[in-house]
Structures are given as structure tokens and as C-alpha cells.
Amino acid sequence: MATVTPEASLNALPRADGSARYSYAGYTVTASVNGPIEAQRRDEHAYEAHVDVIVRPSAGVGGTRERHLEFILQSSLSQIILVKNFPRSVIQIVLQVESTPENAYVNTKLVQASLNLPIIPALFQTAVLALLSAAVPMKATATSTVVAVVSDDGSKKIVADPSPQDIREATSLHVLAFTSHDELLLSESEGDFTVKEWDGVYENAQKICCQTASKQDGIDMVLDDDASSPDMRHFLRSTLETKVASDLHWK
Amino acid sequence: MAATVPAPSLSFSRPTFAKLSPHPYLLTNLTDPENPCRTNGRAPHEARPVHIHTSSLAHANGSALVRTGDTTVVCGVRAEILPVTNIPQYRPREPSYGEEDNDDSADVDELKDYDLLVPNIELATGCAPQFLPGVPPTTLAQTLSTRIYSLLHSCKVVDPKGLRVWYTPPKETREEGAMEVDEAQEEEEEEEERKPELKAYWVLYIDLLFVSFDGNPFDAAWTAVMAALRDTKLPQARWDPDREAVVCSRSEEAKMALDVRGLPVACTATVFLEKEHGEDSGSSAERKSRHWILLDPDRLEESLCKETVTVVVDCSGEETKVKSIEKHGGTVIGRELMRGFIGVAEGRWQEVKEASK
């Protein structure tokens, strides 16, 4: 499978404070960020800003699954946003899923109640990009990835950014997010795995999410077996650099 | 007697202090030099004991009442017949009477595609002050039901074989002349005719009701689901070709216990940080203030902590199997702490196993 590189465009929506469109591994998500704006009475918090995350699925209306995704994203994003700087206000993040990977082999149902782990990195990445585009003060950026453990003739193989077919065959599926301080921000796993396997997954995911830091020594990690998987932190940086360069072009 | 009213003191009583400034209250308790413990008197790594009572609901096929401290949850499993003719997009199965059927991935699809497990969670009005009457299901209730649903499927606790209702068409009555047919041919024909057909499925409606809510809803709910499923007995069901319907037998002895695989146990903890406010402005080193990992948090602790970790483990086999890890809302728990916490979850598994006997 040819790994396509992630693509993103910033400020795609003219009326929002910030917005981003991100597509990778079959997922396309558009996010808009408005904030800090005045909070309604019920959302108002005396000491910090309320982070409001809304996830809209590509088809149909959001159900319990979307509520759960919103809850996961909200608790992670409010950790990296400087919420204490904006008491009594709201930072609203709306995430619209535009497309999800299609697979002829996997039966797709419109309404599914089960947890949708592989979509979390796409949503998370888009939200971070949109927050950066809206210039919301943050204490760190974060990167996220999904990793599957696939049983391959008795031996376990770790696959980064698995396809729907891989996910179907996987014994376990893991989503991890790291902040730019290399701290584990989010970890969601399901399936059947051992502590040892989780360690392997952790190392793999850390490599994908935090690679730029280790590349600073000037050593290019060519020997990596998953060298094809993208370097998320570098991607985040280069996207913003391109944006800043084009914005300041008139100077 | 009115004269003996003491002069109003300037210090607050414990409950007042807890209500006015909960964070310093819990912090003071945890940093008490003589007896550091949580406000509920437990040590940080001490969970509340679990009490499980099964078969308390008469009209459910299986039920359980689980109590951990002041969190009480009732779970009832109700089985209903779903004829395959009522399933849209039904794909007929190859008849394989179970034994040689080892295709696990196909089984999972069956449960998921036809929605044979339907969990629902209700947080009753009045179980805790934050649940108001007449409002739509809260985010907490929706999140919990998604988590229970996912875990039921990802752990493969219910064996779909036990939910199928098969029907084998009887041998056709033959005329006298047919008896003369060659033995081998007859055998072959018999095989052909007696091919079992799948006529219906059992659907399990798993309903959870929180009677009282004092933190850590997921662990209690999951323990209740597991206990209720292990308690579930399905009546003997057969397809009646004349009525074109599934008929269940009334006899108690003919009831079959549901096949439940393994005993996954959920274990939740929250991370309590020393600093309540102002942790944002500080360098990376400074932000590493003290923290406590509070196992099985109560409502007060949950309201003060942002980072939550839930690990589901199953130690039934020789090696501990982790079924799920959910961690969000903070950056304290890294790799080492997570490894340690899986060890703590193993301890919790033993406790719950003892309680479910």
C-alpha cells in the first residue's frame, strides 16, 4: 500500500476565526474554530474557558459515538489550550467529517454505536491545525496517530495508519497522542493485547508523533522499517511555515 | 438552654470546608503528615469493596445488582427473539453446528451487523444532585453506553453460537416404494434434506440503571454487565414450522446458561494534581508538581481531577490480557505509570473475581 502524505490547508473558511482542512489515510475533516467568545450561562466557568467540541459525521446525525468522540477530544484539547487565560468564555471547535475510507470488504452501516478509534487522529490533527490558524494561545501542540497490531502467521506485526481491512483483521487497535513536550496526552486502545505489545505500540507511535525531536542530531533514520509513515510533527510545522510565508508574502 | 450557644468560631467544620474549597480540602487530607489519606478515608490505591448480587429481578433473563461504596447500579438482561426474516440485509449462514466453526471474525460481524447486543444506560434522576429530571440523556450517559457497547464487542464476551435458533427440517415421509432405493443414495438424500436452517436470533437487551451515583460509573456498570450476562439463562427455543414462529419452552430445567467468555474487569483511576490554578504559566520542569493517582474515585474526587485512566484486564488465562486502555485529559500518566497501573488493575481483577463467586 502506497502511503500518501497528509495534506492540509489552513483558513479555508472565510467567516470563522480559524479553520483547517486535513486529509490523510482516507479521512477528510474540516474544522472551524471560534473563540474566545462569550459563554452561555450554563457553559460559563469562573476560572477557565470552556472548550466546546462538536463532531458532525459525514452522513446522518451524530449519535452516542460522536458524543464520546467529542468528550475525548474536549478533555485532550482543553489540556493544551491555555484555558486559564480566558475565564468565562468559550472556544468552540466544530469538526465536520467529509469523507471516510471506503472498503468493499467491510460492511458499512450508517448508524454505529461502537467506538470509532481510527478517526480520532484525523479529528485531533484537524482541531490542532484549526486552533493554530485561529491563533488560540496554547501551551503545546500535539500530534496523534493510530496503530494496529496485526497477527501475521503467529507473529505480531505493528502497522501504522492501518487500512480498514487491516483494522478488521487486527487483534488490537491503539490511538496515541503526544504533546510537543513528548508527553503522552491521549491513549485509547481496544482489542486484545499484552503489556509487551503495548510497549511496542507506544514506541512506534512515539516515533511517528515525535520524530522531529530525535532528528535534530542530524541522523536520518533510514533504517526504520516504518520510514514510510509520516513525521507528524514535521508536517504540522511545515504546514504552518507555508501558511506564514504566504501570508507575509506582500512584505 | 439558649444561653449556652457557643460563640461562633472562625474555623469551618469539615463539610463546610469541603464544599467551599474542595481542592485545598482534598490536598490537605492527602498531605496530612500523620495520616495521609483521601477525604473518604481510603488510601490512594485503595478501591471500594465490590458487592454483587445476582438474579434479583424476576422478569429478566439475567440480572445483577452491583454496589461499590455509594455507587449502586442494577443491570437486567432481557432476551427477545429476532426472526431472520425481520433482519434487513440478512445474509444466510452456512450451517455449521458450532463445533468446527472457529471463524471468529465472522462471529463478531454477526453480533455487530444485526445488533444482537443492545446496552442502554440510564442515570436515574436523584441518583446524584447533578442529574436533573426531564432532560435528554446526558453526555455521561451517552459516553458510558458507547464504551460499554464497544467493550462488549471488542472483548467478545458473548458467544454468538448461543444466540442462534436453528431448525432442521424433518425427514419427509416416504411411500412404500422408496424403501427399495439403494442405501447409500438414501443416506445422501437424507443429508441433503436435513440441512439445518438458521431461523432466528436471540437479541440481548442490556439495561443499566444507576440507583445511586458516587463516582466511577464505568467500573460499576461493567461489573454489573458481566455479572448479569453470567447470570443469564435462555429458554429452550425451537422453530415451529406450522406457526412459522419460534416457540420457547416453559420448563425451568430446559433453560440454558449463556456462554460468556472470560472475565474482563475494568479499573479506573484519576490523577489529582497539587496545583489547582496557574499551572499553565511555568516551564516544563516546574509543571511537574506533585500528583496522586486515586483509584476508584468518588464524586468529589472526579469533579477535581481531569486526567482519567481506565484499564480493562482479564487475568483468566496464564498471561494478563489487556482488553482496553482509555486515558485522556492530562499528561501525567506516561509509559511507566501506565505499566504500573496495569499491575494495580490485576489486583482489582482478583477482588472482583472473589466478589462474583
Side-chain angles (χ1 to χ4, degrees):
Chain A
M1 189 192 80
T3 314
V4 282
T5 49
E7 282 173 35
S9 63
L10 296 180
N11 281 348
L13 309 172
R15 308 281 303 251
D17 284 352
S19 60
R21 188 159 182 229
Y22 172 83
S23 60
Y24 180 56
Y27 289 100
T28 306
V29 183
T30 300
S32 81
V33 169
N34 284 298
I37 51 175
E38 197 182 338
Q40 285 188 328
R41 270 295 291 277
R42 63 187 164 91
D43 295 333
E44 204 176 79
H45 193 289
Y47 298 107
E48 57 181 49
H50 174 72
V51 178
D52 189 16
V53 182
I54 299 163
V55 176
R56 294 180 194 280
S58 55
V61 287
T64 54
R65 180 166 74 165
E66 277 69 33
R67 296 292 94 70
H68 188 225
L69 289 174
E70 285 167 11
F71 172 71
I72 291 171
L73 290 169
Q74 194 258 340
S75 64
S76 307
L77 291 171
S78 55
Q79 285 297 311
I80 56 171
I81 299 171
L82 288 167
V83 282
K84 300 269 160 63
N85 290 12
F86 307 102
R88 297 183 189 280
S89 56
V90 165
I91 294 165
Q92 192 181 48
I93 304 162
V94 183
L95 295 150
Q96 169 73 55
V97 182
E98 284 181 39
S99 64
T100 51
E102 280 174 26
N103 189 345
Y105 300 105
V106 178
N107 194 11
T108 46
K109 278 203 308 181
L110 189 61
V111 182
Q112 276 185 333
S114 68
L115 189 53
N116 188 358
L117 286 182
I119 203 172
I120 294 177
L123 294 172
F124 193 81
Q125 222 56 259
T126 322
V128 169
L129 282 168
L131 284 168
L132 287 169
S133 129
V136 173
M138 296 198 280
K139 64 176 144 192
T141 59
T143 45
S144 166
T145 191
V146 57
V147 173
V149 178
V150 183
S151 171
D152 187 21
D153 300 329
S155 65
K156 297 288 172 76
K157 199 173 69 176
I158 293 173
V159 181
D161 298 308
S163 66
Q165 187 64 23
D166 287 335
I167 291 167
R168 198 183 134 93
E169 286 161 7
T171 53
S172 61
L173 194 63
H174 312 261
V175 171
L176 292 102
F178 292 87
T179 64
S180 44
H181 303 302
D182 293 355
E183 292 162 322
L184 181 65
L185 179 65
L186 171 75
S187 167
E188 301 275 319
S189 310
E190 65 172 9
D192 199 341
F193 53 99
T194 57
V195 183
K196 219 171 168 185
E197 278 170 39
W198 191 78
D199 271 347
V201 165
Y202 183 92
E203 272 165 27
N204 240 284
Q206 199 177 28
K207 221 177 274 171
I208 296 167
C209 291
C210 313
Q211 218 165 33
T212 316
S214 48
K215 261 188 187 170
Q216 279 170 352
D217 332 332
I219 306 157
D220 210 25
M221 290 202 238
V222 198
L223 292 171
D224 269 348
D225 44 357
D226 56 0
S228 58
S229 62
D231 171 356
M232 293 316 289
R233 199 175 282 176
H234 178 68
F235 162 73
L236 202 66
R237 200 183 174 87
S238 63
T239 308
L240 280 153
E241 275 169 356
T242 319
K243 176 68 185 157
V244 170
S246 71
D247 281 355
L248 299 179
H249 183 64
W250 59 276
K251 278 186 176 172
Chain B
M1 280 296 158
T4 56
V5 172
S9 82
L10 285 173
S11 65
F12 297 127
S13 66
R14 277 173 70 93
T16 318
F17 186 28
K19 226 167 212 168
L20 280 176
S21 51
H23 192 277
Y25 176 63
L26 182 53
L27 186 65
T28 318
N29 274 280
L30 283 169
T31 50
D32 185 16
E34 278 159 34
N35 179 27
C37 67
R38 292 147 73 173
T39 51
N40 43 32
R42 286 185 276 153
H45 269 121
E46 190 182 341
R48 295 172 285 191
V50 192
H51 301 283
I52 301 173
H53 192 86
T54 53
S55 308
S56 34
L57 304 182
H59 292 280
N61 294 73
S63 65
L65 185 134
V66 170
R67 235 194 86 199
T68 52
D70 279 340
T71 299
T72 310
V73 58
V74 187
C75 177
V77 177
R78 172 105 188 136
E80 281 183 21
I81 289 284
L82 174 72
V84 291
T85 47
N86 289 7
I87 304 175
Q89 297 173 335
Y90 172 71
R91 289 162 302 155
R93 285 185 64 82
E94 278 301 302
S96 55
Y97 255 128
E99 274 75 60
E100 73 270 42
D101 186 6
N102 288 324
D103 192 2
D104 258 347
S105 61
D107 288 346
V108 170
D109 281 348
E110 206 174 352
L111 287 176
K112 226 173 189 171
D113 287 351
Y114 308 147
D115 281 323
L116 301 184
L117 305 172
V118 189
N120 185 45
I121 292 190
E122 198 176 323
L123 296 159
T125 303
C127 65
Q130 73 254 44
F131 304 116
L132 304 170
V135 291
T138 52
T139 310
L140 177 66
Q142 296 192 41
T143 306
L144 281 175
S145 92
T146 303
R147 289 167 71 189
I148 297 276
Y149 181 96
S150 300
L151 200 56
L152 272 173
H153 285 287
S154 72
C155 289
K156 296 169 189 156
V157 280
V158 177
D159 191 351
K161 283 170 213 146
L163 300 179
R164 296 176 195 147
V165 179
W166 292 95
Y167 169 64
T168 313
K171 230 192 307 180
E172 271 177 41
T173 46
R174 289 151 197 275
E175 289 160 36
E176 287 284 297
M179 293 296 277
E180 283 143 42
V181 184
D182 181 21
E183 275 283 300
Q185 196 189 334
E186 193 184 308
E187 205 112 289
E188 209 173 84
E189 264 176 37
E190 202 173 297
E191 280 294 301
E192 188 85 1
E193 278 167 22
R194 289 177 61 82
K195 215 173 185 184
E197 290 172 50
L198 185 58
K199 284 294 185 185
Y201 282 108
W202 283 106
V203 181
L204 301 179
Y205 290 90
I206 303 163
D207 284 286
L208 290 143
L209 176 76
F210 275 85
V211 179
S212 108
F213 180 92
D214 189 25
N216 203 0
F218 184 72
D219 288 11
W222 181 250
T223 312
V225 168
M226 283 311 295
L229 282 175
R230 290 160 80 92
D231 180 54
T232 302
K233 286 187 181 67
L234 297 178
Q236 193 100 56
R238 64 180 176 85
W239 176 258
D240 189 335
D242 299 332
R243 278 185 277 180
E244 297 244 303
V246 174
V247 185
C248 296
S249 114
R250 274 179 199 281
S251 92
E252 280 295 318
E253 296 91 67
K255 281 192 173 176
M256 287 269 287
L258 190 70
D259 194 1
V260 178
R261 299 175 192 152
L263 178 68
V265 168
C267 181
T268 301
T270 52
V271 180
F272 180 70
L273 298 170
E274 189 177 17
K275 282 185 185 169
E276 188 183 11
H277 305 297
E279 50 168 315
D280 297 343
S281 56
S283 66
S284 182
E286 203 188 314
R287 279 188 305 120
K288 288 265 179 282
S289 64
R290 271 200 292 176
H291 65 262
W292 289 265
I293 294 177
L294 309 177
L295 191 67
D296 192 14
D298 65 17
R299 206 148 45 83
L300 174 81
E301 288 159 354
E302 270 186 351
S303 67
L304 296 174
C305 304
K306 290 216 168 106
E307 185 165 4
T308 313
V309 57
T310 302
V311 172
V312 180
V313 293
D314 191 351
C315 313
S316 319
E318 59 265 34
E319 197 182 8
T320 303
K321 284 280 180 194
V322 187
K323 298 287 187 181
S324 154
I325 291 177
E326 291 175 55
K327 175 223 118 97
H328 43 73
T331 52
V332 171
I333 295 183
R335 190 177 176 179
E336 296 307 315
L337 280 172
M338 187 68 91
R339 252 190 236 156
F341 188 68
I342 291 170
V344 173
E346 284 167 10
R348 185 70 177 156
W349 186 85
Q350 281 298 341
E351 284 173 33
V352 176
K353 189 178 162 34
E354 289 299 312
S356 29
K357 268 176 190 166

